[in-house]
Amino acid sequence: MLVFRLILIALLTGCAGPVKLSNVKETPELNWESDTFSSVNVPSVESIFYLSDENKQLFLDYYHAPENQEVQGHKRLSNFIALFLSGFSYKGNTYNADLASTEHAGNCLSLAILTKAYALLADLKIEYRRVNSAPVYAKEGGLITISSHVQTHVHAPKKQDIEKGHFYFSKIVIDYFPSGRGMLGDAVSFDDFISMYYQNLAAIELASKNYDKAYSLLAAAIERSPYNVETLNTLAVLYKKSGNVAKAESIYHYILNHTQGSVSALSNYVLLLKQQDRDNEARVYASRYSEIEDDNPYRWYNLANQAYGLQNYQQALDLFAKTSKMAPYLHESFFGQARAYFQLGDTSKAKLAMKKAVELAYTPNEEKLYSAKLHTLKAYEQP
């Protein structure tokens, strides 16, 4: 659930799904390993979903209670989660199932892990879907964390209509942070889901400069999902922070040349080139954003803000417009367009974009802010 960015945006997909390769079979292997880090023990996959006998029993007592037997299994699981979330502390920590159950706390990935642990006890099938929703930013150890999340889809046991010979399926979607402005993203495979857990833990160690532990966790993530682009992106950030810029650059080249790409990886690489005063190369790579397939409008919005901060106003405008096209309900992207238009000297278009931001404002405070900005723009146009 934590998405980590350096001054080079290092994006982890704790709750965000990875960008898939267009053709994994034809992709060459990446030499990502290094002997500069020491191997450190990391949690096993089994430990991620471990539940103590006491925590198992809490669920099983509810699930097998006589008064609940008329409720379908997947609904029983969903009902238990709903009860469990009463008083739950939505901390940013990524916990395994047992710790989330014991502490009654954790991020959305922790809740998805806990749901999986319960589903295993009840022999229920679950799947994961990424949800692109407004991220939450926090800064720690030089990294900016961006939180997004997944939904868990819990399937009921299939039923057969014997007379007609048809099978019927039903499922319940558990969304731990429901939002009317979220966009359903890609399905997340189980291996990618596991890699998210390791990525999140690695990001914490990376922020604390525990590079050996971060490397070991990322190695575990790659073992589960070798072509997870965001894991590789975070590994590049690790190499950059630990001083091996050449290795970081080789990973960025691999991502950009052998996958569908990553907004965060390309942004990181452009920043790396700028830091080395390789401005011509940076401009060439910055022109490749249009080649990337990424269905998360918030990544493009973040990139647009970055371009605006670098005074690349035309690029910022294009990226804000891309965000609006993907998610036309986002007032933030229209506000961004208004700012970019103003910097480019087009006050009329800035005013139109600001009007749209006012219409879409999600809270009274946002509407008040945008209305004040609009009033300023109108005054600015007057002779």
Side-chain angles (χ1 to χ4, degrees), residues 8 13 47 74 81 156 224 227 296 304 309 312 322 345 353 359-360:
L8 329 139
T13 48
S47 71
H74 64 317
I81 292 293
R224 295 296 305 199
Y227 302 106
N296 191 334
N312 297 329
K322 182 181 181 72
E359 292 174 9
L360 295 172

Side-chain angles (χ1 to χ4, degrees), residues 47-66:
S47 71
I48 298 173
F49 303 101
Y50 167 80
L51 284 172
S52 67
D53 290 341
E54 181 180 357
N55 286 329
K56 282 182 183 178
Q57 203 59 49
L58 284 173
F59 170 73
L60 292 174
D61 285 347
Y62 176 90
Y63 192 80
H64 294 301

Side-chain angles (χ1 to χ4, degrees), residues 74-208:
H74 64 317
K75 292 182 180 179
R76 266 181 277 165
L77 173 56
S78 176
N79 292 342
F80 182 81
I81 292 293
L83 291 171
F84 178 81
L85 291 180
S86 176
F88 188 86
S89 176
Y90 292 96
K91 295 181 178 179
N93 307 72
T94 300
Y95 291 146
N96 65 14
D98 196 57
L99 197 54
S101 178
T102 300
E103 296 294 325
H104 212 63
N107 57 20
C108 86
L109 183 62
S110 305
L111 287 170
I113 287 169
L114 182 58
T115 304
K116 173 66 174 179
Y118 292 147
L120 289 170
L121 293 176
D123 196 26
L124 293 170
K125 176 185 175 182
I126 68 172
E127 296 173 329
Y128 305 104
R129 292 292 299 270
R130 180 165 53 90
V131 177
N132 298 323
S133 60
V136 178
Y137 297 83
K139 191 168 184 179
E140 178 182 359
L143 294 169
I144 298 176
T145 68
I146 305 175
S147 303
S148 51
H149 71 280
V150 294
Q151 293 176 342
T152 301
H153 293 221
V154 186
H155 291 259
K158 62 184 179 182
K159 293 184 177 181
Q160 184 179 24
D161 186 322
I162 298 176
E163 293 183 1
K164 296 181 180 180
H166 293 157
F167 285 93
Y168 296 91
F169 301 86
S170 64
K171 68 179 180 181
I172 284 180
V173 177
I174 301 178
D175 193 335
Y176 309 101
F177 300 114
S179 169
R181 302 197 305 158
M183 293 177 62
L184 193 62
D186 298 332
V188 178
S189 71
F190 181 68
D191 282 336
D192 282 327
F193 182 75
I194 295 298
S195 75
M196 291 177 185
Y197 175 79
Y198 289 124
Q199 286 174 44
N200 279 10
L201 298 186
I204 297 297
E205 303 300 335
L206 184 55
S208 301

